[in-house]
Amino acid sequence: MLRSTNGQFGLKRMTTVGIVVALGLVGCSGGTTDTAGTSPAAPAATSGSVATPAATSAGDPAPTAAPSVDLGGAELNTAVVVIGGDRYEVTGVRCDIFTARYIQAGNYGEDPEVIIVLPPEGWESQGDVFSPPSVSVTIGSGADETVWAAGDATAVVFMPGLKGLSQIDSYTVPDGRPVHATGTATFIDTTSVAFGRDAKPVAGSFEVTCP
């Protein structure tokens, strides 16, 4: 942010001759603009306002429009996870889309809660820049809570033995907006594992649609 400050000069006395000379110098100065008495500059555009793009000069290439994305009938800010024969569909999903199509989406704190994390292609070679892909569905709360997880979801991270049983098998994040990402995964009931109950991997799928 740039700040401008106006210096203040105290003028105690100026003779009549001095005033005339000063006025004559101001009138002759072609590079100085006297802003005293003029209207204040228009305020800068605030957040939410739309700036008018500058006209392109002749010969400049026209801007390329983002490719259209087929949402397959899905609504924006929705997520669907299918685990075996159970389908979990949630709306009001918060979508955070970062550079290189890095998606973090979820209806945090709701029941059921769905959280989907999808890094861009080639994320493994970027060190710790991106979180690994993961999908989780939390149903209920307290003693009745069940957490299905695939990939490096939080529950799986704290249960290293599940990594061979739970994974993101494939996913696609097409170019363009809105974003309609889809994928397949192998889920595990991490709650059952935590309590020593038998839990077997279950095949499933997921999708998320973001503006």
Side-chain angles (χ1 to χ4, degrees):
M1 176 180 294
L2 299 179
R3 293 186 175 177
S4 61
T5 57
N6 295 326
Q8 296 183 354
F9 299 90
L11 300 179
K12 292 184 178 180
R13 305 180 69 182
M14 180 178 285
T15 64
T16 302
V17 174
I19 293 175
V20 173
V21 172
L23 291 176
L25 290 175
V26 171
C28 295
S29 176
T32 304
T33 303
D34 184 4
T35 58
T38 60
S39 300
T46 58
S47 177
S49 62
V50 179
T52 302
T56 57
S57 60
D60 288 345
T64 303
S68 177
V69 175
D70 181 7
L71 300 183
E75 296 183 3
L76 293 178
N77 297 99
T78 62
V80 178
V81 178
V82 177
I83 304 173
D86 297 322
R87 176 186 173 92
Y88 304 95
E89 181 171 356
V90 297
T91 60
V93 171
R94 170 182 167 180
C95 295
D96 295 315
I97 303 177
F98 305 97
T99 182
R101 293 187 319 221
Y102 178 30
I103 298 176
Q104 292 184 351
N107 62 328
Y108 307 98
E110 301 295 328
D111 186 9
E113 177 190 70
V114 173
I115 299 176
I116 298 175
V117 177
L118 302 175
E121 183 178 357
W123 63 272
E124 301 97 329
S125 64
Q126 302 298 315
D128 296 330
V129 174
F130 302 106
S131 298
S134 65
V135 178
S136 66
V137 179
T138 303
I139 307 107
S141 61
D144 298 324
E145 181 179 88
T146 299
V147 180
W148 288 94
D152 272 34
T154 302
V156 177
V157 170
F158 286 99
M159 300 180 187
L162 299 181
K163 285 205 171 186
L165 303 175
S166 170
Q167 63 187 19
I168 303 297
D169 299 313
S170 65
Y171 66 91
T172 301
V173 183
D175 287 325
R177 301 293 285 268
V179 173
H180 185 213
T182 60
T184 60
T186 302
F187 292 87
I188 192 78
D189 178 358
T190 62
T191 305
S192 293
V193 174
F195 284 96
R197 299 191 293 265
D198 185 33
K200 295 181 179 180
V202 179
S205 62
F206 60 88
E207 62 181 272
V208 61
T209 308
C210 299

